[in-house]
Structure formats: structure tokens, C-alpha cells
Amino acid sequence: MKIALVQTNLIWENPIENRSHLAQKITGFMEEVDLIVLPEMFSSGFTMNPKAVAETMNGETIAWLQHLAKAKDCAITGSLVIEENGKYYNRLVFVYPNGELKTYDKRHLFTLAGEDKVYTAGKEKLIIEYKGFRICPLICYDLRFPVFARNVEDYDVLIYVANWPKPRINAWDILLKARAVENMSYAIGVNRIGMDENELEYVGHSQAVDFLGNYLLEAQETDGVFIVELDKEKLLETRSKLAFLKDKDSFKLL
């Protein structure tokens, strides 16, 4: 499976401009891929003012994603601010090439920025079946919590979309490798670059790690679309040979 990681600057609280900017990125590369991954809150940046940017599941950005998925004949994913039943969610949307949707609401809200005060946390983990792969998509701060990410569903790929700032980027690099190794899974991390309105700097470090902690794509710091290819047979062969997951502890989330 070929995956395109879109690393770029985001325009603060401006869904129209972000859609236009990202559309240029997505339509600008010619290589055929199976999945395109956008950063966290790709339509707005990591805002704690959801009223300014929130959309519904019938809104323009969802329709835009569906149009792009059909036009590129591939899946596309990323998170945005969604309002539903009077509540706001940092919601990852996975759009299949036919326009079908799957969603995941961020489980671990970033208390340091007050995300928990304005957004509602999700409860359910999502496993996506696509192109013969089982994919577990998570969002930014989720990366710090290995219990929720533990591979009890026999998934093949972890995807993290993020707005992870420069001062803590070393943790991003370390934890992506850790999640890949402990879960014997591919780990894909897509982060933004640039400055936001809170004067936080983002240096990207979008990357792809295999199930043994080797880089398929080393951390990138430039604006661009980076393509990686995952090998399911190699993953299964390594799991069969090493069988570390069979020794994992059992537990139940309450």
C-alpha cells in the first residue's frame, strides 16, 4: 500500500484557504497512491476556538474530502473540528475512494492547551479495513498513551495525525518508534510545519517507521508530499518469525 504524507503550513482558522492550499498539494503530485494523510485540524490549525471553524458532517470540508477521494481514486484522512448535538469534537475522518466515511473522535484531549475544556473526548477506538490492511488512526496527544494504542485488534498500521510543536518534537520521534516496535506495526506520523497564532513553531518530522523500528521515511522538516510503501507480506513474515505479540499482557479498558 502506498501512502502520501502531506506536511505543510496551515492557515489559522481559515477552512476555505486551507482547502484551497491542500487541494493544490494533493492534485500537484502525479504518483498514484492508496491513501493520503493530512495533519490534525488540517482546516484550521490547532484552535481552542471551535465556534470559529466548526462544521457538521454535512459541511463543505467533508464534501471536499469526498470529492478529492473520488477524483484521486484513493482514501484520504485527517482531523477537523466537527459540531454535533451541541458538542465539539476533534474528529478524524477516513474517506474511502467511493466517498464512504469512518470517524474517530480524539480520545486523549490535550489538557495543557485546555482542549478538554472545549472539546468532547471520544471513547471508541477505530480499526479500518482497507486494501488488505487493518489501520488504527489516532490523533496527536494519543501518541503518549500506549495502553489505548495497544495492538489487541491485530492491526497492521498505526496512523497519527498531529499539530506537535517544536519544543517537544524529540518525544514525537521517540514515541512513534516505540509504538511501532511494541505493537509490531507500521507507524505513520503526519505533522504540520510553520507558526500558528499562539506563536508555536512546528517543524514537521512527518515520518514512517516499520514494525522493527526502522525508518521507511526519516523525519522530514520541509513542506512537501512524501510517499512511502508498506509491505503486508513482510510484516506478516516478521510477526510469524518473532511472535512477540503472542506474549502480550491481557487487559480491559474501563
Side-chain angles (χ1 to χ4, degrees), residues 115-132:
E115 188 180 14
D116 58 315
K117 301 293 192 300
V118 290
Y119 294 93
T120 298
K123 297 179 180 179
E124 302 296 327
K125 198 172 177 182
L126 175 66
I127 305 296
I128 294 161
E129 303 272 358
Y130 179 62
K131 297 272 184 161

Side-chain angles (χ1 to χ4, degrees), residues 27 38 45 90 106 132 144 169 188 204 210 214 247:
T27 58
L38 306 177
N90 184 347
K106 189 177 183 181
R144 289 187 177 270
I169 202 65
I188 307 292
D210 77 5
N214 302 304
D247 298 326

Side-chain angles (χ1 to χ4, degrees), residues 67-229:
H67 172 77
L68 275 176
K70 291 176 183 177
K72 297 289 285 187
D73 191 27
C74 70
I76 186 167
T77 191
S79 90
L80 69 158
V81 180
I82 292 290
E83 182 179 4
E84 194 169 80
N85 299 321
K87 296 179 179 180
Y88 297 107
Y89 297 90
N90 184 347
R91 178 169 292 175
L92 178 139
V93 177
F94 187 97
V95 185
Y96 290 86
N98 65 1
E100 179 188 350
L101 301 171
K102 298 285 186 181
T103 64
Y104 162 72
D105 294 328
K106 189 177 183 181
R107 169 83 164 112
H108 299 93
L109 300 178
F110 190 45
T111 54
L112 188 63
E115 188 180 14
D116 58 315
K117 301 293 192 300
V118 290
Y119 294 93
T120 298
K123 297 179 180 179
E124 302 296 327
K125 198 172 177 182
L126 175 66
I127 305 296
I128 294 161
E129 303 272 358
Y130 179 62
K131 297 272 184 161
F133 283 79
R134 290 171 60 81
I135 301 170
C136 178
L138 296 169
I139 303 174
C140 203
Y141 195 42
D142 286 331
L143 180 60
R144 289 187 177 270
F145 302 95
V147 173
F148 189 64
R150 193 65 173 133
N151 193 358
V152 296
E153 301 89 0
D154 198 29
Y155 60 70
D156 308 304
V157 188
L158 271 171
I159 293 178
Y160 288 93
V161 302
N163 275 212
W164 195 289
K166 181 179 180 179
R168 295 182 293 279
I169 202 65
N170 189 47
W172 165 263
D173 293 339
I174 293 168
L175 293 174
L176 279 169
K177 277 202 168 189
R179 296 296 86 83
V181 171
E182 70 195 8
N183 293 300
M184 291 207 77
S185 165
Y186 288 106
I188 307 292
V190 176
N191 193 26
R192 65 163 293 180
I193 59 173
M195 298 284 291
D196 70 13
E197 288 298 305
N198 296 313
E199 297 186 352
L200 285 172
E201 183 181 2
Y202 301 87
V203 292
H205 279 225
S206 296
Q207 59 192 268
V209 184
D210 77 5
F211 35 84
L212 294 176
N214 302 304
Y215 280 121
L216 300 178
L217 174 72
E218 294 190 7
Q220 302 294 310
E221 294 192 350
T222 58
D223 188 296
V225 177
F226 308 98
I227 297 173
V228 297
E229 188 165 4

